[in-house]
Amino acid sequence: MDNELKTRLDILEQKLDKVNKDVKTIKNVFLWSFIITIAVIVLPLIAIVFVIPQFMSSISGLGSTAPSADYTNLMKIIGF
């Protein structure tokens, strides 16, 4: 009986080691899924908050027909 119990305990220990290895693998998969989700979805959303206002201000400047202050100063320096 003692030998049979030892054999069963060894088998259970092997199974437990396998389960432990599988849990670590699943943990790594979830971790990398989280990191990739952050990189692909959240970071671009944060970047959009900063990019859209700058983009809108540059587009609004394209439609104006008045010369900019830099252009006017340049023309004065040249002598026109």
Side-chain angles (χ1 to χ4, degrees), residues 64-77:
S64 77
T65 56
S68 67
D70 292 332
Y71 181 72
T72 306
N73 287 336
L74 179 64
M75 294 304 283
K76 286 180 183 177
I77 291 172

Side-chain angles (χ1 to χ4, degrees), residues 2 5 12 18-19 40 42 52 55 57 60 69 73 76:
D2 190 35
L5 184 62
L12 283 174
K18 185 179 183 311
V19 168
V40 170
V42 175
I52 285 182
F55 180 70
S57 68
S60 66
N73 287 336
K76 286 180 183 177

Side-chain angles (χ1 to χ4, degrees), residues 22-50:
D22 291 342
V23 167
K24 285 182 182 180
T25 303
I26 291 171
K27 179 184 170 189
N28 283 336
V29 167
F30 278 117
L31 174 68
W32 282 106
S33 297
F34 179 72
I35 291 171
I36 290 170
T37 301
I38 294 295
V40 170
I41 295 174
V42 175
L43 291 178
L45 288 176
I46 293 171
I48 284 174
V49 171
F50 296 105

